[in-house]
Amino acid sequence: MSAREDVLDALEQILIRDGERAATLDAVAAQAGVSKGGLLYHFGSKKALVEGLADRMRERAALDAQQMAEAPDGPSIYYVRTSVFEDTPFDRTLVAATRLSGGDDAPVHAAFADVREGWLALIREEVGDAATAEAIMLIGDGLYYNAVLDPAFPSGDVGRESSMAGLLAVVERLREEARGA
Amino acid sequence: MSAREDVLDALEQILIRDGERAATLDAVAAQAGVSKGGLLYHFGSKKALVEGLADRMRERAALDAQQMAEAPDGPSIYYVRTSVFEDTPFDRTLVAATRLSGGDDAPVHAAFADVREGWLALIREEVGDAATAEAIMLIGDGLYYNAVLDPAFPSGDVGRESSMAGLLAVVERLREEARGA
DNA sequence: GTCTATAGTACGATAGAC
DNA sequence: GTCTATCGTACTATAGAC
């Protein structure tokens, strides 16, 4: 039962570190410490392997949505605040899946659409105004994508971290203005 | 002289429509209407081909930065407003390059970093406050990445377009508040 | 459940004719 | 400047031993 999870961990690791093209069955098998044949016992094809990643993303996203809904500082701040890489299991899965977003992987795309819809709903519920909710979510999105697509990722972007406080202040102002309206 | 441009156009087309993995020399040559040998006369390797795309991106970005600096509604609004795909030559080059951002293409990454730095400088100059400038740029970034990474791209995302007016109002409010401070 | 060996295809790049 | 033909490698996937 653990070998399956090891393979998914290995896939994530390679996608995060080396990108989509590097995520071959050979490379994933080697990273997971199994042979290619062993890998293909658990996931019968590369397509099935990617679907396994999409499934894991849905599961972990559901847990994160719970956290977001119950966040003491509210879903808006939670979303922007957690849009920087923290190397949690969910972060790793999300970034790995993002690396596949350029291609035509239907399961991954569908999972992303559903997860994003849930996020936006929580933010909209908190701030009331649809345009403000979208603006707040986009700030988090921009933060996330910029970090993920950075060549230095995931070594960290110190400049970004120091500007987080000011950014959260802007988001909070946006939220309060929309609530007051 | 035109064959070179045709090849770059073909590379962009394939990256936009089918993603990074589909952009093989065979596919690009076929799309450009030349043989693989013919392609490799102009670009001696795949690496050289990608560098050609990065160079084109820098050239076209410089022209766009001029437009942005002189925009009647200001760089901030211009940036967010043009963060939706319009199928201009610059848009096509930018989206194509974004498709390569998951991998380890140093020339593409360097070009992106330089171009983005120029955008942020223009916005920061307009709004004064660094945190607000970053927030505004991130809204545009989020808008852009969401569109580009959408599976339906570039067929268009009608829902997004209808929310643009409200979003621009939020951006304008952010800008005016920062200016007044 | 995991391995080795191998089939079949696709890729990047070179050589040489025209 | 563009073509066809080809080499060597790397990829996905299968077959069959253990």
Side-chain angles (χ1 to χ4, degrees):
Chain A
M1 194 48 130
S2 175
R4 234 187 106 97
E5 297 302 305
D6 288 348
V7 168
L8 285 177
D9 288 346
L11 172 63
E12 288 179 358
Q13 166 83 350
I14 291 172
L15 282 172
I16 291 171
R17 198 186 46 207
D18 306 317
E20 178 182 8
R21 288 192 90 124
T24 66
L25 293 183
D26 283 283
V28 172
Q31 174 74 33
V34 297
S35 70
K36 190 154 45 167
L39 188 160
L40 285 164
Y41 170 80
H42 294 285
F43 299 95
S45 69
K46 187 164 190 187
K47 195 175 150 219
L49 177 61
V50 170
E51 282 170 6
L53 182 66
D55 290 343
R56 173 185 266 197
M57 177 178 151
R58 284 180 188 277
E59 293 163 17
R60 291 183 171 176
L63 294 176
D64 180 74
Q66 194 85 7
Q67 296 272 108
M68 182 170 165
E70 297 165 358
D73 45 3
S76 299
I77 296 293
Y78 177 93
Y79 185 70
V80 175
R81 179 163 53 78
T82 60
S83 287
V84 293
F85 191 68
E86 295 279 357
D87 209 0
T88 64
F90 179 50
D91 272 1
R92 296 184 65 81
T93 304
L94 206 61
V95 172
T98 302
R99 296 283 199 213
L100 298 173
S101 291
D104 56 352
D105 281 296
V108 172
H109 282 304
F112 259 107
D114 291 347
V115 169
R116 294 184 46 75
E117 197 177 334
W119 287 335
L120 183 57
L122 284 175
I123 296 175
R124 202 191 289 119
E125 191 182 343
E126 183 191 19
V127 305
D129 179 56
T132 303
E134 191 178 359
I136 290 175
M137 176 141 159
L138 288 172
I139 289 173
D141 292 348
L143 213 49
Y144 170 76
Y145 288 126
N146 282 151
V148 169
L149 297 180
D150 194 282
F153 182 87
S155 322
D157 200 359
V158 184
R160 284 266 173 239
E161 202 153 346
S162 62
S163 68
M164 180 51 94
L167 207 54
L168 289 179
V170 172
V171 171
E172 202 167 339
R173 206 175 72 222
L174 229 36
R175 181 182 63 182
E176 298 313 317
E177 281 173 5
R179 276 172 153 176
Chain B
M1 193 52 129
S2 175
R4 236 187 103 98
E5 297 302 307
D6 289 347
V7 168
L8 285 177
D9 288 345
L11 172 63
E12 288 179 358
Q13 167 81 352
I14 291 171
L15 283 172
I16 291 170
R17 198 186 46 206
D18 307 316
E20 177 182 8
R21 289 192 93 122
T24 66
L25 293 184
D26 283 280
V28 172
Q31 174 75 33
V34 296
S35 68
K36 188 153 52 164
L39 189 160
L40 285 163
Y41 170 79
H42 294 287
F43 299 95
S45 70
K46 186 163 190 187
K47 196 175 149 216
L49 176 61
V50 170
E51 282 171 6
L53 182 67
D55 290 345
R56 174 185 264 196
M57 176 179 153
R58 284 180 187 277
E59 293 164 17
R60 291 182 172 177
L63 295 176
D64 180 75
Q66 194 86 8
Q67 296 272 108
M68 182 170 166
E70 296 165 358
D73 45 2
S76 299
I77 298 292
Y78 177 93
Y79 185 70
V80 176
R81 179 164 52 79
T82 60
S83 286
V84 293
F85 190 68
E86 295 278 358
D87 210 0
T88 63
F90 179 50
D91 271 2
R92 295 184 66 81
T93 305
L94 206 60
V95 172
T98 303
R99 297 282 200 215
L100 298 172
S101 290
D104 58 351
D105 280 296
V108 171
H109 282 305
F112 258 106
D114 291 348
V115 169
R116 294 185 46 77
E117 196 176 335
W119 287 335
L120 182 57
L122 285 175
I123 295 175
R124 202 191 290 117
E125 191 182 344
E126 183 192 19
V127 304
D129 179 56
T132 304
E134 190 176 359
I136 291 175
M137 177 140 159
L138 287 173
I139 289 173
D141 291 349
L143 213 48
Y144 170 77
Y145 288 125
N146 282 151
V148 169
L149 298 181
D150 194 281
F153 182 86
S155 322
D157 200 358
V158 185
R160 282 269 174 240
E161 203 153 346
S162 61
S163 69
M164 179 53 91
L167 206 54
L168 288 179
V170 172
V171 171
E172 202 165 340
R173 206 175 72 222
L174 272 175
R175 181 181 63 182
E176 298 314 318
E177 283 172 3
R179 274 172 156 174

